Amino acid sequence: MAYDTNTVEASPAPPDAGTALVEVRDLGVEFVSRESTTCAVNGVSFSLAPGEVLCIIGESGSGKSVTMRALMKLHPPKYTRISGYMRVGDHEVSACSEREMRSIRGSQISMIFQEPMTSLDPVYRIGDQIAETVIRHKKCSRAEGYARALELLKLVGVPSPERRLNAYPHELSGGLRQRAMIAVALSCSPTLLLADEPTTALDATVQIQVLVLLRRLQQELGMAVIFVTHDLSVAAQIADKVAVMYAGRIVEYGPVAKVLQHSAHPYTKGMLASTVSGHMRGQAIEAIPGSPPDMRVRMEGCSFAPRCKSVMPACRQGTPPLLTVSHGHEAACLNFA
Amino acid sequence: MKPMAETDFANPLPINTEDPGGRQQPMLLVQSLQKHFPIKSGILQRQTGAVRAVDDISFSVLKGETLGIVGESGCGKSTLARLLMHLIIADSGTLVFDGDPVSEMRGISLRDLRKNMQMVFQDSYFSLNPRLPVRNSIAYGPIVHGMGKIEAQRLANDLLNRVGLNSEIFGARYPHELSGAQKQRVNIARALALTPRVLILDEAVSALDKSVEAQVLNLLNELKRDFNLTYLFISHDLNVVQYISDRVLVMYLGQIVEIGPVEEIYNKPRHPYTRALLHSRLSMNPADRVNEPPIGGDPPNPINPPSGCRFRTRCVFAEGVCESMQPKLDNVAGDRHLAACHMTNPSSGHSKATS
């Protein structure tokens, strides 16, 4: 792979690397097909302390979901080439076998998805689906599993939980379905929760309920959360740290307030400027010209260069490493070199 | 996107400047529009219920304005759009297009209505024919309406250039060879091919990424000015609606709860549902986090909507009168800002009613 080795050294290192819950170094994910090889993720490094919330922001095709799925090894091994080092807790995920992964998934790391209807099994009752995970990992009885399921439905704020235990997914509204899925994910008290755009498919009034719930649960249970979203305002609501991804790389990383209020990378700035708000009535929005690059074609230099306003000749030569903007705030842009 | 100067066009694009009804005549007048989808069950397939998708809706769209329609999923906003296009047939109600009743004696024919009113759908891929190069997709409508093939192709090329796609590069491509935003540009070009006067945009930018959404919104604003268009802009995104609309219509469970000029709806909302929707917008400032959701619960099922006011099950101000009586969207004093809430009507008997 053609990425710069500087990326690794300049990657956000925690104060004490040993205490970090999640450590990802130089992650690369390639999808191989007969026609082409797509470099979806290209040298991503980050770490996460226990109880911290990291938001990965990016547009479709930026590799944000692919990064997260790689952490749980959900990509089909036959068509995927994963390189780099991943560790969650005591488990070195990058070296785990499928059998080990199966015991980690759901107990150590769990995941919630964007569309709850397609990720819940339509032919099983909600109670069964929650209890299944508990019975599988805690090796407890069916009755204990169901008691835990009821407790979880209460925890995620489902009204009349006794009745909902026996409901099928199609009988629930979108918001309740998402709550049920959160209950499945939390059933074995994971230390790391991966959330893949969990509020995108929900209505505005329901989205805010789920966000408030997730934040409350995260604080009560002390989980670390990696939250993938394309919506900057969702990140503003829930994140401690933010990583902005573009074309398979992290282009900006830092505390949420710094990234959103004092953004450094031209892409982040462009995203913020092109986010529509009512105050801009009557004037043209400052849109980022062009469209994201085709990931099947490997390109030299900064992948944002073709759309960037402040592009320099040096931008087209090598991939810019993450450079420090201020303490804990980094951007992969040569303007800070 | 390649910026295209006006002078690049081989020939100027046709602009529909007809205005048979006169300036003051509303472009669209919708009266008591209703659509219930029957639910059939049992061996005999007898009707056991109905989804009240659009329930007695009346409003008007003025010439040259952009009317934004907002609401949560299932509130009937897309059904409303399809009813206006006559893609589904209404149970009852009338539609008047620039003074001409639609599909009635002495009115405007459906063929002419669709020539004057076009629609852009949310899913940019499924609304294009996968087997036609996009140029042919755009030329299809004009050919059906009697334009020569060569002329239609030339028009398609000009339209492609106008929406920011170089016709020499993109004209011969198939939909799967384009990105989401490029496909949506093709859809917009196709909608303009019949020189319509009204464009219905049903969540036309919702599936796009933020950075390209801004490009398409800018394009829509330009086209509206250059082609003398009237927009019906349907979206669930309150920020986008505020940006683009002149007036806003808020829907809840198949009914209009509030309608008015955009500044009034956003600054002085009268209906508690509108207020809750506006408070559900998320701030970009991490210091400004919401700790208490403005309303609980999901929108109820439109099959058996609550009696009286449909919002009362989620409303904190609900009282007895809200259960027994349905609030009306009455226009008493010619006010342009209306809300269907008992609290805005002094004679309703609601304890918080203001005069």
Side-chain angles (χ1 to χ4, degrees), chain A residues 277-294:
Chain A
S277 83
H279 309 298
M280 301 192 274
R281 273 186 68 76
Q283 28 182 314
I285 314 164
E286 234 181 280
I288 309 176
S291 44
D294 184 346

Side-chain angles (χ1 to χ4, degrees), chain A residues 60 205 215 239 281 283 288, chain B residues 72 209 215 243 245 289-290:
Chain A
S60 47
T205 56
R215 207 171 54 213
R281 273 186 68 76
Q283 28 182 314
I288 309 176
Chain B
E72 294 177 287
D209 278 320
Q215 295 172 6
Y243 171 72
S245 310
R289 289 189 174 172
V290 183

Side-chain angles (χ1 to χ4, degrees), chain B residues 235-299:
Chain B
S235 179
H236 66 274
D237 188 327
L238 290 153
N239 288 324
V240 173
V241 168
Q242 186 182 13
Y243 171 72
I244 203 160
S245 310
D246 301 312
R247 283 198 307 143
V248 177
L249 187 161
V250 186
M251 280 184 79
Y252 187 73
L253 280 186
Q255 291 181 327
I256 299 176
V257 295
E258 191 163 358
I259 183 168
V262 62
E263 302 84 22
E264 294 211 14
I265 294 273
Y266 279 79
N267 296 327
K268 282 177 277 174
R270 290 185 188 164
H271 199 282
Y273 176 63
T274 315
R275 279 203 287 271
L277 261 187
L278 292 172
H279 282 141
S280 304
R281 285 182 301 173
L282 300 175
S283 160
M284 289 289 249
N285 185 353
D288 188 12
R289 289 189 174 172
V290 183
N291 292 315
E292 204 54 54
I295 45 171
D298 288 68

Side-chain angles (χ1 to χ4, degrees), chain B residues 38-49:
Chain B
I39 298 166
K40 291 175 179 164
S41 57
I43 300 170
L44 297 172
Q45 290 292 296
R46 259 193 277 232
Q47 187 178 337
T48 51

Side-chain angles (χ1 to χ4, degrees), chain B residues 311-333:
Chain B
F311 184 60
R312 71 176 163 83
T313 50
R314 299 169 82 192
C315 182
V316 285
F317 305 109
E319 289 183 3
V321 61
C322 302
E323 191 178 336
S324 54
M325 212 166 72
Q326 192 170 326
K328 286 201 177 66
L329 198 70
D330 275 334
N331 193 349
V332 241

Side-chain angles (χ1 to χ4, degrees), chain B residues 18-177:
Chain B
E18 283 173 38
D19 194 2
R23 288 260 358 122
Q24 295 305 310
Q25 181 79 31
M27 187 61 100
L28 267 179
L29 198 65
V30 179
Q31 266 164 352
S32 317
L33 203 63
Q34 183 164 304
K35 179 70 194 177
H36 291 181
F37 294 104
I39 298 166
K40 291 175 179 164
S41 57
I43 300 170
L44 297 172
Q45 290 292 296
R46 259 193 277 232
Q47 187 178 337
T48 51
V51 179
R52 297 170 168 229
V54 168
D55 212 3
D56 193 16
I57 279 189
S58 308
F59 65 95
S60 60
V61 186
L62 307 179
K63 277 180 184 154
E65 77 168 350
T66 300
L67 177 69
I69 301 179
V70 286
E72 294 177 287
S73 51
C75 72
K77 51 191 194 304
S78 289
T79 307
L80 177 65
R82 285 171 163 77
L83 285 175
L84 296 181
M85 282 299 287
H86 281 244
L87 291 175
I88 41 182
I89 303 303
D91 298 339
S92 63
T94 51
L95 180 63
V96 180
F97 185 87
D98 199 10
D100 289 326
V102 177
S103 67
E104 273 177 32
M105 292 282 280
R106 288 191 293 279
I108 184 174
S109 72
L110 212 51
R111 188 186 169 90
D112 283 341
L113 174 78
R114 292 210 178 122
K115 193 166 175 288
N116 280 303
M117 194 152 79
Q118 282 284 310
M119 189 161 170
V120 178
F121 298 88
Q122 172 170 13
D123 195 310
S124 56
Y125 182 72
F126 286 103
S127 46
L128 287 170
N129 186 339
R131 298 199 190 186
L132 281 187
V134 294
R135 182 190 287 134
N136 298 18
S137 271
I138 298 171
Y140 199 92
I143 291 170
V144 168
H145 281 263
M147 192 184 270
K149 268 196 183 144
I150 295 163
E151 205 186 334
Q153 296 267 346
R154 198 184 304 138
L155 173 70
N157 283 341
D158 291 343
L159 281 165
L160 274 174
N161 289 332
R162 182 64 196 86
V163 297
L165 298 174
N166 188 334
S167 59
E168 281 167 32
I169 300 171
F170 293 100
R173 288 204 190 171
Y174 287 89
H176 72 266
E177 297 174 295

